[in-house]
Amino acid sequence: MGYAVIAFDGEDEGALARRMAARDRHLAVITEWAAAGRLAFGVPLFTPDWRSVGSLMILEVPDRAGLDAYLAAEPFAQGEVWQRVTVHPFRIAPLPYRPLPKPGEPTPTSRTHTITIAFDGTDAEAPARRQAARTAHMDRVAPLAQAGQLTIGGAILDESGTRMIGSIAVTAHASDAAARAAWAEDPYVRDGVWKDVTYWGTRMAPLPYRPLPGAAA
């Protein structure tokens, strides 16, 4: 198990300047954490008009101390770039993912992927809906990972780390509309598991990532 850090920058006029001022130090930290296997995945969040508004960081650390160590080292967390940060226990689904971009590969200059952040309902029947749809959902996403359409995905967990309450998925879709259409027939959408869904554009910078769970070494 690890943690998903969903962070949003400030909305004032100086927000972008603060991000750019801290960017090189941020890249140095996440490069170190990726090489050590403690950062499984990290990308920026963009609006549809390609405005940078935050970050998604998925950590592979054993406990809260590892999360706290990352936030203490992260310039975006310490330099007033991130103004609103939510953290969720998170488990990456073991699937046959394609390799993530490696150092030396170019960083795209435009949107290539979409981050889908989806929370389940909060009613008493929500856990049963997820459980009933889970096998069909996993059967659907496994070939998407193998084909490179699903870059990474997994379950948001409650604070105890035992109950699934949502999902995060990064897919190779260049628009919200394309991602929404792709998920429309997924059992988690079709059967009403996901109730609160948001989409963010992103691109992936090449980092020394370790293979994701389920991916070939």
Side-chain angles (χ1 to χ4, degrees):
M1 191 184 78
Y3 294 91
V5 178
I6 306 169
F8 291 92
D9 300 357
E11 298 180 358
D12 58 288
E13 292 183 358
L16 180 59
R18 290 195 300 272
R19 173 174 277 265
M20 296 309 296
R23 185 173 182 272
D24 287 348
R25 289 179 288 121
H26 161 75
L27 288 174
V29 168
I30 64 174
T31 296
E32 177 184 343
W33 277 67
R38 295 178 292 173
L39 177 70
F41 188 76
V43 286
L45 306 178
F46 289 96
T47 61
D49 61 355
W50 201 238
R51 182 168 57 89
S52 178
V53 293
S55 308
L56 168 67
M57 315 303 290
I58 297 178
L59 303 176
E60 283 284 271
V61 293
D63 51 33
R64 186 83 191 193
L67 168 66
D68 292 343
Y70 166 71
L71 292 175
E74 172 58 75
F76 281 2
Q78 299 301 316
E80 299 185 352
V81 175
W82 292 343
Q83 298 293 299
R84 178 164 55 94
V85 179
T86 58
V87 175
H88 302 280
F90 186 76
R91 184 169 60 235
I92 300 171
L95 294 170
Y97 301 110
R98 295 278 187 89
L100 295 173
K102 297 293 185 184
E105 297 181 26
T107 299
T109 57
S110 60
R111 176 177 180 169
T112 58
H113 288 70
T114 296
I115 301 165
T116 301
I117 302 175
F119 287 92
D120 299 357
T122 57
D123 56 291
E125 290 74 32
R129 283 197 302 273
R130 174 176 277 265
Q131 190 60 37
R134 187 167 186 269
T135 297
H137 167 76
M138 296 304 293
D139 287 347
R140 186 173 185 270
V141 298
L144 297 179
Q146 192 164 32
Q149 281 294 104
L150 175 65
T151 300
I152 185 173
I156 299 171
L157 308 174
D158 66 2
E159 285 303 314
S160 71
T162 59
R163 183 168 64 89
M164 293 179 282
I165 61 171
S167 308
I168 297 174
V170 180
T171 55
H173 295 109
S175 70
D176 292 359
R180 189 179 293 108
W183 286 118
E185 293 304 316
D186 188 275
Y188 279 2
V189 173
R190 189 187 62 221
D191 298 343
V193 177
W194 291 347
K195 295 295 188 182
D196 179 8
V197 184
T198 55
Y199 301 93
W200 302 96
T202 197
R203 62 184 178 188
M204 294 183 289
L207 292 173
Y209 291 117
R210 302 281 182 89
L212 295 171

